Amino acid sequence: ALRRSTTHTMPPLASWSATPHAWSVWTFFAQLCGYVALSTVLEYVFFYRRWTERRKWRIQPSNETRSCHASTNTGGYDWGLPVRDLWSVTPRRGRHRLHSTYATVNLLVSALFAGATCEAYIRGLTNLSQGGIFLETGFGLAKLIAVQSVLEYYWHRVMHVPAVYKQLHKLHHHYNSPVVWDDLFIHPCEAFGYYVILYGTGVFVSATTISFLAYMALMGTCGVLDHCGILLTLKVPFSGGKSRSASHLYATNFHDAHHAKFNVNYAFPFPAMDVAHGTYFEETNKRGGKN
């Protein structure tokens, strides 16, 4: 049986302090800066440097209902970080008037959740443990992904209940062809609920710290890529001419189809729950074949 190499015990109340540990503060900034860095790289490379080639890489190249070109009037790079629009009268690039506020709040809250999870681990309030052999780390990562995938799917389905959708989730579907920086345009109440699922796995699921770090890196990266509007795929080696569902481990047009079609592909980041519930949709790339 797998055994955790180190277990945490709850410290006595007398030893508790309201001051967060340095590692928790570092985790807060690491999560925040990591998100900004990845989004910035994608925007700069594709929406600025390769904008004229967008029909080659855009998932929905014909759906240009708003300006997504990351360029200033003088041809320079126009950084799309939403916080820059907080004090603007008119949002850039046809964004929703609440985009800058909600995206900024959600980014900060997400980073706070990351720091709080680290603090809970340091104080012995999670099921995470140090060390672990390769098999244990892999098994822990699989458990974290599985739990998140199940909870996220049903949470997402609840968000599509008409009354809930009208009050909360409708904002996230404001963009039916999302691009970089659109992923965090979510009602803060909805975002908070998902963060409980995303980070709560580290509190309740038994896994190693390496498993959890890999899990968070995977979820954070996929969250950005799912809404970047750029066709990116991770193929299974030697898969030949099989369909996307059989030949691709991951593809960004999977979740993009949810924004375009509305009632398909609720799962994140992998389609297993959609396949199991009959809500899976395999996007066909108009530039040739299935993706």
Side-chain angles (χ1 to χ4, degrees):
L2 297 176
R3 181 182 302 172
R4 291 185 295 166
S5 59
T6 304
T7 57
H8 284 298
T9 57
M10 185 176 294
L13 291 177
S15 67
W16 281 35
S17 170
T19 304
H21 290 78
W23 276 107
S24 303
V25 177
W26 184 91
T27 300
F28 169 88
F29 285 105
Q31 197 279 343
L32 190 152
C33 294
Y35 169 83
V36 173
L38 176 57
S39 299
T40 300
V41 168
L42 291 171
E43 180 184 57
Y44 180 80
V45 171
F46 289 94
F47 290 88
Y48 178 60
R49 295 296 300 272
R50 297 186 58 190
W51 179 248
T52 57
E53 305 171 8
R54 60 188 178 278
R55 297 197 67 83
K56 297 180 180 179
W57 52 261
R58 280 283 272 145
I59 297 176
Q60 299 185 52
S62 61
N63 193 346
E64 297 288 349
T65 58
R66 56 180 172 138
S67 174
C68 301
H69 189 194
S71 176
T72 63
N73 293 332
T74 58
Y77 171 53
D78 180 30
W79 193 24
L81 185 68
V83 69
R84 297 184 61 211
D85 291 333
L86 280 178
W87 296 276
S88 299
V89 177
T90 304
R92 290 174 297 162
R93 308 179 193 173
R95 288 172 173 170
H96 190 282
R97 62 183 180 82
L98 293 174
H99 186 126
S100 59
T101 301
Y102 282 4
T104 301
V105 168
N106 290 333
L107 175 58
L108 292 174
V109 172
S110 175
L112 285 171
F113 263 89
T117 303
C118 179
E119 188 69 20
Y121 165 73
I122 293 172
R123 299 187 182 213
L125 302 177
T126 73
N127 275 326
L128 299 177
S129 62
Q130 296 180 6
I133 59 175
F134 179 79
L135 181 61
E136 185 177 4
T137 298
F139 182 60
L141 175 60
K143 285 194 296 182
L144 291 167
I145 294 174
V147 170
Q148 187 278 157
S149 297
V150 171
L151 295 178
E152 181 278 336
Y153 181 86
Y154 293 123
W155 171 259
H156 198 170
R157 293 301 298 268
V158 169
M159 290 298 105
H160 278 256
V161 171
V164 181
Y165 180 84
K166 181 179 180 180
Q167 295 298 321
L168 299 178
H169 198 55
K170 185 177 180 179
L171 279 175
H172 189 58
H173 277 271
H174 177 73
Y175 307 121
N176 59 14
S177 179
V179 296
V180 180
W181 307 110
D182 288 350
D183 54 315
L184 289 183
F185 181 50
I186 315 171
H187 193 288
C189 292
E190 177 186 351
F192 186 91
Y194 175 65
Y195 293 154
V196 170
I197 294 173
L198 180 66
Y199 292 96
T201 55
V203 176
F204 299 106
V205 176
S206 175
T208 68
T209 53
I210 297 176
S211 299
F212 186 72
L213 290 174
Y215 159 79
M216 288 307 308
L218 175 67
M219 296 299 159
T221 300
C222 289
V224 172
L225 295 182
D226 273 1
H227 298 84
C228 71
I230 305 163
L231 183 59
L232 301 170
T233 61
L234 180 61
K235 296 184 177 181
V236 178
F238 313 113
S239 58
K242 297 179 181 178
S243 66
R244 188 186 79 80
S245 57
S247 64
H248 287 190
L249 291 173
Y250 172 79
T252 52
N253 61 357
F254 167 73
H255 185 74
D256 193 275
H258 175 72
H259 281 262
K261 305 293 184 181
F262 181 74
N263 59 353
V264 298
N265 296 4
Y266 298 93
F268 171 76
F270 305 117
M273 291 295 290
D274 282 302
V275 173
H277 289 78
T279 53
Y280 174 72
F281 174 79
E282 186 170 0
E283 183 64 82
T284 299
N285 182 6
K286 296 180 180 179
R287 283 160 288 179
K290 293 180 178 180
N291 291 306

